[in-house]
Amino acid sequence: MNICVFLSAADLAETYTRPARELARLIGQGGHTLVWGGSNVGLMKVVADGVHASGGRLMGVSVHFLVDKVRPGVDDMVIAQDLAERKRLLLDKADAVVIMVGGTGTLDEATEILELKKHGHTDMPVVLLNTAGFYDGLKEQFRRMEDEGFLPRPLSELMFFADEPVEAMTYLKESLGDR
């Protein structure tokens, strides 16, 4: 399966790199392909290194203004004209999405896939990996949106919340089978 992972390109503490390495190992050992922002820095590098070392494939989608951070030697790399095209290409190439810790770019990517799901434009599974409670506030906000009628579909149809990478991969396998 092609698993799009939205995540930070920042250098982060072990609290965040440990689960990133674990998810990467599970993706690679499963023979899956990582679809990611193509960066060779920070948490993006940690995940790409782990997937590659564990036997998985790497499919990157970067953007012109970040070309100096692109990882060399990947299986497939596309350079998009802008961030909107990058998001579209990432999602077009994916069978599933995992949202890991990140900043505004990750949040933008996460809300894009949720909008597409909300309006029925995709049915791919989406997992929010809530490492160390990073997304507790966002999870609460999503639940409030659901409770107060802002979501036309139940939150459980839009995304699955996982605390650990193994939960995320189990959910994806159950959702998509042995792709």
Side-chain angles (χ1 to χ4, degrees):
M1 104 181 82
N2 290 347
I3 302 171
C4 178
V5 179
F6 293 134
L7 71 164
S8 178
D11 291 317
L12 299 170
E14 180 69 12
T15 300
Y16 301 115
T17 58
R18 180 206 52 81
R21 284 191 304 274
E22 184 181 343
L23 180 67
R25 180 183 56 78
L26 293 169
I27 291 171
Q29 286 179 347
H32 306 299
T33 297
L34 170 68
V35 180
W36 95 116
S39 185
N40 201 35
V41 297
L43 202 59
M44 285 192 186
K45 180 181 183 342
V46 169
V47 172
D49 287 349
V51 169
H52 180 74
S54 300
R57 291 179 31 89
L58 301 177
M59 182 183 301
V61 181
S62 191
V63 68
H64 278 289
F65 67 84
L66 295 175
V67 75
D68 61 319
K69 295 182 179 2
V70 165
R71 182 184 182 96
V74 301
D75 298 297
D76 187 17
M77 177 66 70
V78 176
I79 307 297
Q81 292 297 314
D82 56 34
L83 292 171
E85 181 185 27
R86 180 190 199 189
K87 282 189 296 189
R88 182 185 56 76
L89 290 169
L90 284 164
L91 294 174
D92 285 351
K93 295 175 179 298
D95 299 314
V97 172
V98 175
I99 302 160
M100 295 187 67
V101 296
T104 56
T106 303
L107 192 56
D108 174 57
E109 293 161 340
T111 55
E112 177 91 10
I113 185 62
L114 294 177
E115 276 297 295
L116 291 170
K117 280 195 80 163
K118 181 178 90 174
H119 293 290
H121 292 283
T122 184
D123 63 351
M124 77 173 75
V126 176
V127 175
L128 189 137
L129 185 54
N130 191 24
T131 299
F134 183 81
Y135 285 119
D136 283 351
L138 184 60
K139 187 176 178 180
E140 182 179 327
Q141 184 63 47
F142 282 138
R143 288 204 173 120
R144 182 174 180 183
M145 289 175 187
E146 180 180 40
D147 292 346
E148 295 186 19
F150 290 93
L151 300 179
R153 295 176 63 185
L155 183 58
S156 62
E157 290 181 14
L158 297 177
M159 69 169 36
F160 176 79
F161 295 95
D163 292 324
E164 293 294 331
V166 69
E167 288 177 86
M169 290 303 294
T170 298
Y171 175 78
L172 296 182
K173 288 177 187 174
E174 289 172 358
S175 297
L176 294 173
D178 289 325
R179 282 193 194 181

